[in-house]
Amino acid sequence: MTNLVILPILIPLLIGVLLIFFKNHKSIQRVSSVLAVTAMIIASGYLLYIVYNNGIQVIELGAWPAPFGIVLVADLLAASLVFLASILALVCLFFAYQTFSAERERNYFHPFFLFLMLGVNGSFLTGDLFNLFVFFEVMLISSFILISMGAKKYQLRESFKYVVINTVSSMFFIIAVAYIYGAVGTLNMADIASRVGELEQAGVLTVIGVVFLFVFGTKSAIFPLYYWLPHSYFAPPAAIAALFGGLLTKVGVYTLLRTYTLMFNQDTAIFQILLIIGGLTMFIGVLGAVSQFDFKRILAVHIVSQVGYMIMGIGIFTPLAIAGVFFFLVHNIVVKSALFLYAGIAEKITGTSHLKEMSGLLKTHPYVGWLFFIAAISLAGIPPLSGFFGKFALIVAGFEAGHYFVIAVSLITGVLTLFSMMKIFMTSFWGEVKIPNPNFKDVKVTKLILPTLPLIFLTIALGVAAEPFIQFSLLIGEQLMNPSEYIDSVLKE
Amino acid sequence: MEILMIITVGVLVTVATYLLLSKSMLRVIIGVMILSHGAHLMLLSLAGLKEGSPPLLGEEAASYADPLPQALILTAIVIGFGITAFMLVLAYRTYKAHKTDNLDELRGTKDD
């Protein structure tokens, strides 16, 4: 069953290519993309089951042995993130069907949605640095098209900047690959990891690590490289913004997690830098969120602050901290997407996303209000929900390692997060009914709420039944902190 | 030879940085293209400009050149080509919608 690893990449590729030929057949497009994403969920769920029971799965493409050919590797971290990404894709797809115009669907929405998933799954599963670059580019080109689709004035303006910034950072990716090929002579991640110990000049590796920090930091929007995010993620419609907000920056965090635990773990100074960057990212991000007065913009800036927690966890660099990063990553993918979808629903009802123009949604649409409330307090980290346990693991790990200052910053950030979420809830959901959209009574929200329910269920389940998930995260933390298992299963030693 | 290549890479990156910082959209796109050429040239030279026969089976030679950097650059060039084409179309549509290609006038303003 080793071929199972390639299925989450192969399914969206094949269906996506086929769907290009069915441009004008709406029902064929809808049914086959749902089938494709469902097949992805089944394949990746089974993959996770196999990896959990039988250990790391490796496929050598074209039967070339590991350091020479390209490998796809599914360890627990990669398999579980692929599974989660597929679930999120299904949710966003159903939400998109309720909100998108027919014209948008005719203009190749489905193929590019599937190609985006291909890029995301490939980035999680690949075991080769140049291949990672290629999957990143597949993901980015699809995201360029999805973000500029619709061609409103605002969208065109912001997507041009998004494209230029991401392309420049991709060029630095090639430069970093060139550096590492010059220094180590291989691009297979496991092979690099096994050879870094023999390298005579360890300093070279730190330089390469910092170039990678720039590249992945731009994709995951860390301080001070987050400038592009608040504007770009405001542009696309809710279903796409939810997918981007949930997944794309987290792919950057995943690559940081993978490269720093596997390859650049020699130099402790770089983890100090990550710790400082993490603290600054979460604090500046949440300050930006507090200062905004727009539903979608607050959520977009919040992504920055949440990424800060994960960077802080990588900076602490103990098994418990890595487990916390994984738990927080899963929690954030789920909750952030749910919040973006509720922003889309609120915008659909009121016709605006500015907080000062709407109020009293709780009276007209109580279900939307209370579901948003659950997601919001989960993001802020209130105990029975999933946000609390991710933060709790990170904070305990920080105390054990003695990083008190950054823990204090993270607690202040938590309070400010709660404040900005309550600002949304109080201004838009409480108070007198004031809705600028004159025909809001005709807007049916039941069909819009249904796709978001799995995400709310997941955040409650992750919180209420936290114990098994924490155990699972600890397993991942152990696996990442002892890369010998990964290296051995790739290189077959 | 390596020294010459690295100087060329430096010149390309300098020119690209200058163009990326300019106000016109078209200049920015040309800057990105030149930056990608610099990155590709650097990949080629950092992998070592080996002297030797082409990497073919069945040829008798003392040493063979490393085929991997060329394969990597070929992939990167194809990707760069696609992105450049997309950027040109996007810049054209932005120009049509906003009636300007001056990036100073395309800053985020009150209308968003």
Side-chain angles (χ1 to χ4, degrees):
Chain A
M1 284 309 286
T2 47
N3 286 342
L4 193 65
V5 184
I6 206 172
L7 276 184
I9 298 170
L10 212 57
I11 295 166
L13 175 66
L14 288 179
I15 307 284
V17 169
L18 279 178
L19 282 185
I20 292 178
F21 298 106
F22 295 96
K23 185 188 174 199
N24 291 321
H25 300 75
K26 195 171 147 191
S27 47
I28 295 182
Q29 295 226 13
R30 287 188 165 192
V31 171
S32 32
S33 13
V34 166
L35 284 180
V37 176
T38 317
M40 258 160 60
I41 294 179
I42 295 168
S44 52
Y46 188 57
L47 176 65
L48 182 58
Y49 173 76
I50 296 277
V51 170
Y52 186 74
N53 286 322
N54 302 356
I56 298 172
Q57 299 289 310
V58 182
I59 177 167
E60 291 165 339
L61 299 179
W64 286 86
F68 308 109
I70 292 167
V71 286
L72 297 177
V73 189
D75 65 347
L76 274 178
L77 174 68
S80 44
L81 285 178
V82 168
F83 181 54
L84 194 68
S86 310
I87 294 177
L88 184 63
L90 191 65
V91 168
C92 290
L93 208 54
F94 274 114
F95 194 85
Y97 290 165
Q98 309 296 335
T99 49
F100 276 15
S101 62
E103 189 192 6
R104 194 186 284 272
E105 284 193 49
R106 210 170 328 121
N107 284 326
Y108 305 108
F109 164 71
H110 294 93
F112 285 112
F113 184 89
L114 290 174
F115 291 152
L116 183 84
M117 292 317 296
L118 152 72
V120 169
N121 290 348
S123 308
F124 286 146
L125 288 174
T126 183
D128 179 286
L129 272 179
F130 195 80
N131 220 8
L132 182 65
F133 166 75
V134 174
F135 280 122
F136 252 91
E137 290 303 301
V138 171
M139 181 180 89
L140 283 175
I141 294 173
S142 318
S143 78
F144 295 163
I145 290 160
L146 288 176
I147 213 167
S148 59
M149 193 182 263
K152 288 196 207 98
K153 271 179 118 174
Y154 179 89
Q155 265 186 316
L156 286 170
R157 193 180 76 198
E158 294 308 329
S159 43
F160 185 74
K161 296 166 198 167
Y162 177 75
V163 171
V164 169
I165 289 164
N166 274 299
T167 313
V168 169
S169 89
S170 296
M171 293 310 146
F172 276 92
F173 200 159
I174 299 183
I175 291 172
V177 164
Y179 277 147
I180 209 159
Y181 191 70
V184 192
T186 175
L187 289 174
N188 186 297
M189 289 203 262
D191 202 24
I192 295 170
S194 68
R195 283 198 207 176
V196 287
E198 308 156 11
L199 213 61
E200 283 168 19
Q201 301 153 298
V204 173
L205 214 66
T206 310
V207 173
I208 300 168
V210 172
V211 180
F212 271 115
L213 182 63
F214 170 74
V215 175
F216 298 143
T218 311
K219 317 279 186 203
S220 59
I222 63 174
F223 175 84
L225 303 165
Y226 63 85
Y227 40 80
W228 53 271
L229 188 137
H231 288 293
S232 317
Y233 283 15
F234 184 72
I240 294 173
L243 193 70
F244 282 15
L247 273 185
L248 291 198
T249 47
K250 276 58 176 192
V251 177
V253 174
Y254 163 80
T255 44
L256 279 177
L257 195 56
R258 175 68 79 207
T259 48
Y260 278 91
T261 51
L262 195 60
M263 290 180 278
F264 309 119
N265 51 10
Q266 313 285 319
D267 196 345
T268 49
I270 211 160
F271 292 106
Q272 293 289 332
I273 296 173
L274 278 175
L275 213 56
I276 295 166
I277 288 178
L280 282 168
T281 308
M282 62 179 132
F283 194 63
I284 304 235
V286 85
L287 283 190
V290 166
S291 72
Q292 297 285 347
F293 253 100
D294 189 289
F295 208 137
K296 271 164 99 176
R297 236 175 253 279
I298 291 179
L299 296 178
V301 187
H302 255 302
I303 296 174
V304 178
S305 133
Q306 308 295 319
V307 164
Y309 277 99
M310 303 171 204
I311 304 297
M312 177 188 88
I314 303 174
I316 295 170
F317 204 61
T318 58
L320 182 61
I322 301 293
V325 172
F326 173 74
F327 197 103
F328 200 78
L329 194 68
V330 170
H331 146 76
N332 206 243
I333 289 175
V334 170
V335 169
K336 199 84 226 172
S337 322
L339 285 171
F340 265 107
L341 294 180
Y342 292 124
I345 295 176
E347 198 178 357
K348 182 104 178 165
I349 297 169
T350 59
T352 177
S353 67
H354 202 280
L355 287 179
K356 281 180 179 163
E357 290 168 18
M358 56 163 121
S359 67
L361 276 182
L362 205 57
K363 277 180 189 153
T364 53
H365 300 86
Y367 293 113
V368 182
W370 292 118
L371 287 170
F372 170 82
F373 185 73
I374 293 174
I377 60 172
S378 176
L379 187 78
I382 302 293
L385 297 160
S386 62
F388 172 74
F389 295 97
K391 276 184 195 173
F392 184 67
L394 284 175
I395 286 168
V396 170
F399 268 120
E400 280 177 2
H403 300 299
Y404 301 113
F405 185 72
V406 78
I407 295 302
V409 172
S410 80
L411 291 173
I412 296 168
T413 307
V415 174
L416 289 175
T417 309
L418 187 63
F419 168 73
S420 58
M421 282 296 131
M422 285 308 108
K423 184 170 78 180
I424 297 182
F425 189 70
M426 288 173 72
T427 51
S428 62
F429 289 99
W430 273 4
E432 293 296 311
V433 178
K434 186 177 92 181
I435 293 173
N437 186 5
N439 36 359
F440 75 93
K441 286 217 167 65
D442 303 332
V443 181
K444 297 274 182 295
V445 290
T446 326
K447 278 185 176 171
L448 291 176
I449 291 176
L450 278 179
T452 67
L453 288 179
L455 298 178
I456 295 296
F457 172 74
L458 263 179
T459 180
I460 295 174
L462 281 175
V464 173
E467 176 65 24
F469 288 107
I470 290 272
Q471 293 300 333
F472 185 70
S473 308
L474 281 171
L475 212 61
I476 287 178
E478 291 291 333
Q479 203 174 49
L480 285 179
M481 290 299 286
N482 304 309
S484 54
E485 191 189 346
Y486 184 94
I487 296 169
D488 289 346
S489 46
V490 172
L491 297 179
K492 302 272 179 348
E493 275 166 1
Chain B
M1 190 64 185
E2 271 91 348
I3 300 287
L4 191 66
M5 290 285 261
I6 288 299
I7 290 172
T8 316
V9 171
V11 171
L12 282 173
V13 173
T14 315
V15 172
T17 312
Y18 175 74
L19 285 171
L20 277 172
L21 295 175
S22 60
K23 284 178 186 171
S24 156
M25 279 198 289
L26 207 56
R27 279 171 192 260
V28 170
I29 296 175
I30 294 172
V32 172
M33 286 165 69
I34 292 176
L35 183 62
S36 76
H37 290 315
H40 299 157
L41 203 58
M42 187 157 150
L43 185 50
L44 193 66
S45 28
L46 266 186
L49 299 169
K50 290 187 188 114
E51 296 187 359
S53 299
L56 298 171
L57 288 172
E59 297 277 334
E60 298 292 326
S63 70
Y64 291 111
D66 186 359
L68 192 65
Q70 296 166 27
L72 301 185
I73 290 166
L74 182 61
T75 317
I77 285 174
V78 173
I79 290 171
F81 179 72
I83 290 185
T84 311
F86 178 74
M87 274 165 82
L88 284 169
V89 175
L90 187 65
Y92 177 69
R93 288 293 298 270
T94 315
Y95 170 71
K96 290 283 269 188
H98 288 270
K99 301 280 185 289
T100 177
D101 78 329
N102 188 338
L103 285 169
D104 261 357
E105 293 169 25
L106 292 172
R107 292 167 89 103
T109 42
K110 289 292 170 197
D111 70 336
D112 48 358

